[in-house]
Amino acid sequence: MAEIHGVGIGQGVAVGPVAHMAGRLAPPSDAPSARGADAEKAAVSEAVQAVAAELNARGERAGGSAQDVLEAQAMMAEDPTLADSVAARIDAGSTAEYAVHAAFAEFAEQLQALGGYLGERAADLADVAQRVIAHLRGVPAPGVPEPGHPFVLVAEDLAPADTALLDLEQVLAVVTTEGGPTSHTAILAREKGIVAVVGTGDIDLADNQSVLVDAANDRVVSDPTDDERAEAEERRAARAAAQAAPLTPGALADGTPVPLLANLGSPDGAAEAAALGAEGVGLFRTEFLFLSSDEAPSVESQRESYRRMLAAFPGRKVVVRVLDAGADKPLPFLTDADEENPALGRRGIRALQHRENVLRDQLTALAQADAETDADLWVMAPMVATTSETEYFTSLARELGLKTVGVMVEVPSSALLASEILATADFASIGTNDLVQYTMAADRLLGSVAHLQSPWHPAALRLIKMVADGGRANGKPVGVCGEAAADPLLAVVLVGLGVSTLSMSPSALADVRQALLAHTLDEARRIAAAALATGSADEAREAARAAA
Ligand code: PEP
Ligand code: MG
């Protein structure tokens, strides 16, 4: 038995035999073309069209956000700039295969250099290139194996085209050596509830070797013992029971309500979130609507998206975050691309304050959508670091007609100033993804510092408690909307620290609902105190487990 560490996505556990992703194609030779430029160009054009058509067809079958991703890949295949670059290489004597390989690689490198969300799209581009080259060679594209029995898929990273069509009856779990918690594999695994551990680094597993994939504990165990298998099966059965439990409102064992809300990036996910028992929306990431826009969106186009989201939750709370541009979420129309250190640059509320017309338009669109619907709209600003930013945002939003106006606490300074900030803001929502990143000085996208990126760290827990205390002192609610809220035991700790609502990926709602029902408020406080009194993330988790 050996243990491999990575980043677990979700809370699942699964055991099964390994099957590796079909390997990548051998790189094409750079020998000059023997058949001439016209024939090479015709071959590329046919291959590109075939690949784009296949990606679009897969997207249509998959639906949902997978369809958006696959259609974006189809567009990459047919991108005119890439086509020009391929044609120029063929004119200079390259074969079709080599020209595609070189042109796509160059473009992928450019994306990677940009980093953040665009950097992560470089893998999508490499996948498109492989598909085109496979088509030119007349061989199957590298992809998901079909061993004929359920298996644990092991891959370098999964391209969206693979993840979207995974047969969930056959794929018990996914392990990737590359990719971080925001890679496509992670996003889609979270959305589809696939057991996954990503970013393990190099691993040595043979086809058919038995592995236990333990996402809740960020690990993969090769050749697990009988006891480990039995324990995994118990946890799997408990999870299945949680998924099948009635969709009651979030509450502790003593009846203390803890509303469970959804994190959403588009109104398209609203119906599914409601079906999974979301009692509202705790974080609508509006910037996800505009990641590829070159221009600031109009009031009209925004109003329609917001109206759709609010209309899906009549009478319910919907917390909308105004555009959070910068670092991992660059928006071409708001972000300064030349910053050396964008995570510490003019991002979030700083970018909006600098371009106040964009903020005014968004708040205007939100106020209009609010007037047309019956949801209880709350609006908050990202990356608030000071009391003056709080005063700026809350007074502008109120001036433009928004009724409930708050801030996200994602920067340690705002946790330290929570009492003062919550004297002005109507509420606070703690974004643990960034709060941990800034508290630990560990880039949330970087696999090499993932061990420092745990919201269990007592440094983060102490800051969260300060915010909850600041809320209580001012009689204002404090929620959590970072990934921490999706970890069932940590959710209990957060409530014990004084947090009153939890917002998460909808696929995590069932696990968290069940975990809360197992403890009273007094117990949650005791468990939180045990975690707080430790000196490391591992100790905090262990202490909470022991106390629970
Ligand atoms: C966070 O930082 O925890 C958060 C919820 O915002 P995002 O993940 O979108 O940065
Ligand atoms: Mg954030």
Side-chain angles (χ1 to χ4, degrees), residues 286-287 290 293-303 306 321-325 331-335 346 348-367 379 382 392-393 396-397 400 402:
T286 55
E287 62 284 346
F290 308 113
S293 308
D294 285 331
E295 286 175 18
S298 66
V299 171
E300 292 68 38
S301 68
Q302 294 188 69
R303 185 184 63 191
Y306 305 150
R321 169 171 79 190
V322 295
L323 296 169
D324 183 17
L331 292 179
F333 58 89
L334 257 186
T335 316
R346 190 186 273 155
I349 187 64
R350 301 169 192 173
L352 291 170
Q353 196 164 6
H354 182 63
R355 297 280 311 280
E356 189 179 294
N357 55 332
V358 176
L359 178 56
R360 280 182 176 270
D361 279 357
Q362 184 169 27
L363 292 170
T364 303
L366 282 164
V379 177
Y392 166 75
F393 178 71
L396 183 63
L400 292 172
L402 280 316

Side-chain angles (χ1 to χ4, degrees), residues 112-135:
Q112 226 147 19
L114 290 173
Y117 178 87
L118 289 175
E120 299 235 358
R121 303 288 80 77
D124 305 356
L125 200 65
D127 173 66
V128 175
Q130 288 274 303
R131 285 172 194 280
V132 175
I133 294 170
H135 193 89

Side-chain angles (χ1 to χ4, degrees), residues 321 410 434 444:
R321 169 171 79 190
E410 309 179 89
D434 279 309
R444 62 189 273 185

Side-chain angles (χ1 to χ4, degrees), residues 174-241:
V174 171
V175 177
T176 65
T177 56
E178 301 292 325
T182 60
S183 63
H184 261 301
T185 306
I187 293 168
L188 291 173
R190 219 172 259 129
E191 186 176 302
K192 289 177 176 259
I194 299 171
V195 181
V197 173
V198 302
T200 60
D202 285 344
I203 47 178
D204 187 17
L205 294 171
D207 267 340
N208 283 321
Q209 185 173 4
S210 172
V211 288
L212 186 160
V213 183
D214 183 359
N217 293 305
D218 301 317
R219 62 180 196 150
V220 178
V221 180
S222 61
D223 304 314
T225 63
D226 288 346
D227 283 354
E228 285 171 326
R229 286 166 178 274
E231 196 254 351
E233 176 49 30
E234 243 171 63
R235 279 167 50 203
R236 196 203 56 73
R239 270 204 96 212

Side-chain angles (χ1 to χ4, degrees), residues 182 263 283 285 287-288 321 324 328-329 347 380 382-383 408-410 429-437 444 480-484:
T182 60
N263 290 354
L283 170 63
R285 292 179 161 110
E287 62 284 346
F288 278 28
R321 169 171 79 190
D324 183 17
D328 54 313
K329 297 177 285 266
R347 58 173 310 191
M380 64 184 180
M383 290 289 153
M408 286 190 74
V409 174
E410 309 179 89
S429 181
I430 306 174
T432 50
N433 308 336
D434 279 309
L435 185 61
V436 174
Q437 153 164 272
R444 62 189 273 185
V480 167
C481 64
E483 280 305 309

